């Protein structure tokens, strides 16, 4: 089978590898669509993200959909033929974090496309059966792959406590900011203010549910918000956002980048703000499928380019175009 | 001013009374619309609801909107002219329940139209300034009145934990079942099954967000639900509904009527169901206003008849028509 | 090895079986102490509990401690020699309930001594390594076994929301009522009223933290409680208890027995009571170990009789003595 | 009556003022004991705390007990003679924060001894009846006053989620650190590590429930904690503490002082830490009374000096002695 392997920064090679055999409890999935994430791009460009370093050849990709073509021992053969969305993290299921439902914090998790675990930019992958979620016809192949970034937006909104009538400030209108906006809209937030330095992105946010937009530093966004979700990773955006949250409101830090988080202590205390960060997500796929299948969110609109596996490098660099939102690799496109 | 006063079962008299003067902290509101609730009808028909007995002449009505025409001491005169929705319960603000945010359970609460506190079926009422919520132009006079039943639906969904992707079973498609359906839809529930004996009501539920409907006793509704909200008060509906809730799911009892709640103990234990009842609501008006103002719920469609104050008795008996959903009294008529 | 096998009601046979070999991820445990639970007695007497029927020979026992004597593949050999408390349920780790941290509700759970899964009334058992919790010297062999019933009490108090200053009503002062009392005391409950028909048990409750005791039907217990935990399974006790809970208080149903739960609907609604049942427990062993090791609860005092494996039948019938609280089987005896 | 009035930094004058008359809903309290808080000392030394500035003569004091000697209109005369602990904040009861149970965040709150509201360092004060909590004989006059700092410790532990088996790190062993330690012990925390630069204070912490102590910068405290409560206000202590919290653990910032809170963003995100600050407390007096009355916490031991009203200045400077923990002013002392 064909696969795209990262050997070193900007050294991505298209290789032939044997099709894996599904082990006990696994299914073999023919990949239909893989979304390109900022972290894939970062590994491609720099060969590392923080302490995660590409030390040996690595297959990237963790936003994936496909079709089950074979099952391992212990999996019903009736699953063959199902179209599935793949949750990319396989937790151990035995540690304290797993047993308390926070499997995203499992220290033993194996996550697609994070060194040293291979991802899904291949024609076939074998995954645990329970991580291959059946999707209905209402969800396209691309949308099924994008349930992964949607999960990031679901998790952010859960942490923020977004609910009916919530007023929400979102900093950053990249793909994560956009899915966060879409989910906020779907769960009943009625004021959704989005800030970004890029006006193209702000337009995209307006189309996906924002009720007001602004460039940072303007005074266009005023008043108090129930919650602030940072999807920018910018220290300045975080500092500005925190000051706009009402007493007992929430601050959720999704965007990476800043080394140090600097917060005004008196504001945190006098308003008793609740501040947290997110690391991936847990228990989001059923929600993501329900939202996408019922049309509450429209993921296909996020796709701004489709590439074959052989063109993976182009997909990884597509984001340099300021109008690009989400590139997907479709192995069937040769 | 003109007011409608209940003297005894089916003895409702239109009287003239002096316009009240707003006390300190109060506003005087000219009433624009009052929705008729099942409890108003019950008092009109029977003169009591449980231990609440109409012992002296009582003004009914607690779903109300109006316009501020005068303010008492301590209230800014800038409020004069504002169109407002009125929260009908005035809690003491000092007891343990009030101080912990559960003011609906305040033992000292004074609630419009519940003996011995007069309601709003009058030309004017004086209410605490903080219970008169300003509404924007997007909310009509009738819709502003119906923020009260909407609050019942918001509270039911909060108790049920309805969120994005929730599957919900609702028994009863009267006005309360309908607003519960509308709110569930607005907060992201993706499966909303509604049951009722009345097919007219089931059609109304489909129009307001139900994804499937059924008459009780049919096997049309199957599978497991995250939550079940009973808006019927029927013992049979409750028993059937409880059995359809998944492990760790919620049961919320809104409908009144049954004396005794009978539940299968083994089911409650083996599934660790969370069961609760609702009593009015707390902290719902801001949410209700946000949902109505942004078009997430459409309250005007619930109104099936408008009456003048002189025709209050007709409004109270309008529900005998099986196509009636919500009658409103508008003092300005006639 | 020697094991005690239930063939049919009151037909318990002491047999020799081969010592099991630990599979991958398992440890082999030499059993040191096994507490006798009411459910063991029920299987012994009746051969079934509800839908769980002893259809083939079954080893009972699920309150167990022991010492690791061998490890399977993938388990560090450094574990050999550790004294351990055994959590008796092995969940699948893959279903929705497991992944959300509610593994006690896992439909695939394999639970010691529940048909068709053998329990621990044997000289040796093989269990998953993560279910064998290391215990410090401060916890005796018997106390380590009794971390299981302690877990029932921890879970009941978690569901009840017991915290500093909580006033709690507990119906039933059998072993479950007693551990529930002990935990309530340890987590800061300051009023703990216990009711039981048996005055011996009430005395035991007073020794373990109850602040007041009463026989059912007396008026000795008055006032409002923050929470009510039923450990009796008696319909009358449940009905009486529910009426003593304050608005927004909790009702937790632990005791089994009653078929139908009958509750006053108006009370449930007007007080917005939170009612739930418990099924075993989840994530309680670390807490149980911490409480026992630091002396916050004293489990050894619960033991009223020790028996060898050959005398398992005596242990199973020890509860007929009204002074008996907890019998334990110690395979090393005799 | 005699009262102690702060005119300017270090200008405290003992004056005679008329005894206040209780208004409607108020009680008149003869003060029995007033604890000296660090904030009182700060106002005395600097005339301000942040934006709160002493612009006109101010009576300090907000940790208070007394005896009701007279009641205003609407308060039962049966309250006369009751010994009471006084909650020092009078919220408005009408704003969003009040109505949702977070009255400590009420923007209109009037708080004893915070400019421009007079405190309790007087012979008599008039307070709202519901803020004067009856205390039983088991609680001394001094302990009743110290229910206020105890409330700070209760609130900190609530925010931290301290429960049975919790491991807790506390930075700072001044009066707030000590009450936080005492409450943690009372609610079942089993590991309580306390750090402070002052070895006298560390000894005091050991006597009040700490299980281990250390000076900052030592490696004596290791391992992961479920929660970290900072009572020091030291940036270095906060930074060190945050790194010792387990994934999904809590960080509660109680201590004031640092301008800016600097946190390692990657740690906050990868562990999904929950960070918040505290501002006073809400709904703590019933809990505080229950804990003190049942001996779960011993407040009298905190008192290291008693002073008459005339010696208030001595009480305000007593903290300069490193062995001082809590000075109290007792107006009845000459």
């Amino acid at each position: 089978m064909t696969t795209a392997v990262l050997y070193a920064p900007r050294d991505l090679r298209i290789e032939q590898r044997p099709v894996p055999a599904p082990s006990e409890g696994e299914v073999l999935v023919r990949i239909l669509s893989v979304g390109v994430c900022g972290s894939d791009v970062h590994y491609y460009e720099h060969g590392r993200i923080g302490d995660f370093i590409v030390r040996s050849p690595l297959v990237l990709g963790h936003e994936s959909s496909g079709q089950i073509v074979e099952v391992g021992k212990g999996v019903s053969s009736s699953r063959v033929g199902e179209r599935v969305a793949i949750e990319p993290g396989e937790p151990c299921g035995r540690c304290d974090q797993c047993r308390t439902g926070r499997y995203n914090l499992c220290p033993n998790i194996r996550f697609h496309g994070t060194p040293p675990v291979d991802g899904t930019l291949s024609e076939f992958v074998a995954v645990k059966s329970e991580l291959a979620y059946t999707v209905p016809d209402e969800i396209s192949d691309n949308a099924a792959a994008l349930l992964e970034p949607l999960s990031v937006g679901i998790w952010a909104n859960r942490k923020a406590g977004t609910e009916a009538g919530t007023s929400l400030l979102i900093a950053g209108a990249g793909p994560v900011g956009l899915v966060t906006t879409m989910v906020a809209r779907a769960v009943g937030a009625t004021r959704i203010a989005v800030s970004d330095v890029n006006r193209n992105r702000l337009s995209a946010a307006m189309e996906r549910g924002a009720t007001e937009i602004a460039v940072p530093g303007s005074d266009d966004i005023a008043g108090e918000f129930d919650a602030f979700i940072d999807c920018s990773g910018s220290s300045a955006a975080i500092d500005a956002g925190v000051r706009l949250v009402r007493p007992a409101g929430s601050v959720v830090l999704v965007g990476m980048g800043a080394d140090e988080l600097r917060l005004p202590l008196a504001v945190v205390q006098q308003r008793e703000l609740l501040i947290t960060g997110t690391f991936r997500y847990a228990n989001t796929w059923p929600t993501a499928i329900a939202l996408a299948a019922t049309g509450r969110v429209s993921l296909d609109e996020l796709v701004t380019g489709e590439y074959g596996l052989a063109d993976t490098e182009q997909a990884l660099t597509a984001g340099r175009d300021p109008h690009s939102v989400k590139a997907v690799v479709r192995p069937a496109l040769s």
Side-chain angles (χ1 to χ4, degrees), chain A:
Chain A
M1 67 172 190
T2 304
T3 189
V5 186
L6 183 69
Y7 276 75
R10 306 205 183 188
D11 177 4
L12 187 94
R13 308 181 194 169
I14 304 302
E15 293 187 350
Q16 295 299 312
R17 289 189 174 180
V19 172
S23 303
E24 182 171 353
E26 289 189 339
V27 294
L28 182 67
V29 177
R30 182 164 57 79
I31 294 297
L32 292 170
S33 180
V34 180
V36 171
C37 173
S39 66
D40 297 315
V41 176
H42 205 277
Y43 281 122
Y44 171 72
E45 299 278 0
H46 305 287
R48 67 184 296 168
I49 294 180
D51 297 340
F52 293 100
I53 303 170
V54 180
R55 298 185 191 280
S56 53
L58 179 77
V59 181
L60 295 172
H62 60 270
E63 306 178 351
S64 332
S65 67
Q67 186 168 32
I68 294 177
V69 293
E70 193 183 333
V71 298
K73 193 176 155 193
V75 179
S76 164
S77 61
S78 70
R79 294 214 68 185
V80 173
E82 289 183 1
R83 226 159 39 90
V84 295
I86 301 173
E87 181 169 355
E90 186 191 317
C92 78
R94 293 181 308 275
C95 68
D96 279 358
Q97 296 294 343
C98 281
R99 286 169 68 87
T100 47
R102 302 182 296 245
Y103 63 77
N104 57 318
L105 303 179
C106 168
N108 313 307
I109 199 167
R110 291 170 47 82
F111 196 91
H112 282 157
T114 296
V117 181
D118 275 341
T120 57
L121 279 165
S122 286
E123 281 184 290
F124 296 91
V125 295
V127 299
K128 290 278 180 193
S129 179
E130 70 267 20
L131 301 181
Y133 295 83
T134 310
V135 293
D137 292 346
E138 288 82 0
I139 300 180
S140 73
D141 298 346
N142 285 343
L146 300 187
L147 297 179
E148 200 276 349
L150 184 63
S151 285
V152 175
I154 291 170
W155 193 240
N157 276 284
R158 281 194 196 156
K159 292 282 183 185
T162 313
E163 57 182 13
T166 293
S167 61
L168 188 64
L169 173 63
I170 298 173
V176 171
L178 291 181
V179 292
T180 299
T181 300
M182 290 159 70
V183 173
R185 175 68 180 77
V187 303
T190 44
R191 183 186 180 196
I192 307 174
V194 179
S195 70
D196 200 298
V197 292
N198 179 328
R199 290 193 178 277
N200 287 327
R201 291 178 160 188
L202 289 179
S203 299
M206 278 306 279
E207 286 164 18
R208 279 160 189 85
T211 58
E212 55 194 289
I213 53 179
V215 292
S218 77
D219 289 335
D220 293 355
I221 293 177
E224 287 195 327
F225 292 88
D226 296 321
F228 162 50
I229 301 179
D230 179 68
C231 303
S232 75
S234 148
S235 294
I238 294 171
D239 185 72
V242 164
R243 294 173 193 275
L244 290 171
V245 180
R246 68 158 167 79
S250 298
V251 173
V252 180
L253 304 164
V254 182
M256 289 179 287
D259 274 354
E260 199 173 51
L261 176 63
R262 296 185 184 195
L263 300 170
L265 179 58
V267 171
V268 172
Q269 290 181 321
Q270 286 167 20
R271 298 190 200 170
E272 293 196 339
L273 299 181
L274 298 161
I275 302 163
T276 194
T278 62
F279 186 67
R280 296 167 182 162
Y281 35 68
N283 301 303
T284 49
W285 256 258
T287 303
I289 291 171
L291 290 180
T294 56
R296 306 298 176 91
V297 298
S298 299
L299 295 166
D300 290 292
E301 299 167 12
L302 294 175
V303 177
T304 45
E306 294 191 323
Y307 303 83
L309 254 183
D311 298 325
T312 295
E313 210 149 2
Q314 276 178 261
L316 286 164
T317 55
R320 295 173 187 169
D321 175 342
H323 291 87
S324 171
V325 176
K326 178 64 74 177
V328 299
V329 174
R330 306 204 52 158
L333 293 178
S334 68

